Amino acid sequence: MVYTYRVTLPGIKGFYRVYDVNADNSLYSFYKQMRDDMDFPRDQVILFKGLDAVGSVVARYGLVDLGFGTVDCTSIRESVKKGVRSFVFFYDVTNRKSVIVTLEGERKGADETRVPVLVDSKGPNPIEFENGYVAFEDLPDDQRHLPSESDRNRKSGLSSLLDALSKDEGDEDFDDEGAEDDEEEDDEEDDEPRGKCDEDGVEIYDGTEDLSI
């Protein structure tokens, strides 16, 4: 018999691991496979707290016998017969770090001698969530934006900014151009011929000018 278990984190939608576990595999074998797949620490005390279908505690399995057997001497089949439908698995008892391991189904397997196998997964390992990682599914609705939407919004904002800058630069060019025209008019006025004047500003004539009307 092969049992399927889903590993989840409380309140986190962006993480899960799904395992096929042989009925004769020990809880310790299951723990080692999860430890290797999810980078659980190797130097911490572990505990499987077994819950029944309504969430009541029916067994506790550890490295030492807590009255229900040890993890290396208890098989998956024995835990199912005990009525365990899910575990709170503490991979670090000291710091109370845990995952939820839920029985999802069972079937007859063609190869019932294999070790626990990871068959499906989603999200990074639990340590990443401890470090502040937030999955897309766990973001508030007002913060859920697909990358394509963000790119479009960013490009739209950039285009608006460039348009505004272009408009400002166009106004400056217009002002400079007008100033240049004014300077050219002033230069043309300076180039116009003027009559001879004495020091008092009165025009004088040297006799060569045509004074006829």
Side-chain angles (χ1 to χ4, degrees):
M1 187 71 67
V2 174
Y3 293 95
T4 299
Y5 285 90
R6 180 177 293 266
V7 182
T8 57
L9 288 168
I12 302 296
K13 299 178 183 178
F15 168 85
Y16 66 74
R17 301 287 188 272
V18 179
Y19 287 88
D20 279 349
V21 187
N22 183 273
D24 293 326
N25 290 148
S26 68
L27 290 174
Y28 188 70
S29 296
F30 191 15
Y31 151 66
K32 287 196 300 180
Q33 190 62 51
M34 290 191 293
R35 180 194 67 192
D36 293 343
D37 292 335
M38 291 181 273
D39 293 330
F40 291 150
R42 296 171 177 265
D43 57 350
Q44 298 297 324
V45 177
I46 63 168
L47 174 69
F48 283 88
K49 182 169 71 173
L51 310 176
D52 62 14
V54 297
S56 299
V57 179
V58 295
R60 287 183 174 88
Y61 307 101
L63 295 173
V64 297
D65 193 348
L66 300 174
F68 303 94
T70 59
V71 291
D72 56 336
C73 294
T74 302
S75 68
I76 295 295
R77 177 183 285 108
E78 289 171 334
S79 70
V80 172
K81 286 182 178 180
K82 185 74 176 178
V84 175
R85 290 297 176 269
S86 65
F87 295 100
V88 178
F89 171 60
F90 291 89
Y91 57 89
D92 184 346
V93 171
T94 304
N95 295 306
R96 300 186 63 81
K97 295 180 179 180
S98 64
V99 293
I100 306 300
V101 183
T102 305
L103 177 62
E104 288 199 330
E106 62 182 65
R107 71 176 189 279
K108 291 184 177 180
D111 181 6
E112 297 189 357
T113 62
R114 62 182 183 173
V115 296
V117 176
L118 177 65
V119 296
D120 193 10
S121 66
K122 180 180 183 179
N125 288 330
I127 185 64
E128 298 299 330
F129 292 91
E130 294 175 18
N131 292 335
Y133 175 84
V134 179
F136 178 81
E137 295 87 341
D138 299 308
L139 288 172
D141 291 340
D142 59 347
Q143 296 182 19
R144 292 187 185 183
H145 301 293
L146 294 174
S148 57
E149 294 177 352
S150 300
D151 290 342
R152 284 197 297 270
N153 293 336
R154 185 167 58 253
K155 289 178 181 178
S156 177
L158 181 59
S159 297
S160 299
L161 177 60
L162 291 176
D163 290 342
L165 291 175
S166 299
K167 183 177 180 181
D168 292 341
E169 290 176 357
D171 292 342
E172 292 175 0
D173 292 341
F174 177 78
D175 292 340
D176 293 341
E177 190 175 321
E180 291 175 359
D181 292 341
D182 291 340
E183 291 177 359
E184 290 177 359
E185 290 178 0
D186 292 341
D187 291 341
E188 290 176 358
E189 291 178 359
D190 292 339
D191 293 339
E192 291 180 358
R194 297 176 180 176
K196 297 179 181 179
C197 299
D198 62 9
E199 293 179 355
D200 295 330
V202 179
E203 292 187 359
I204 60 176
Y205 301 94
D206 58 3
T208 63
E209 294 84 356
D210 185 1
L211 300 180
S212 61
I213 299 176

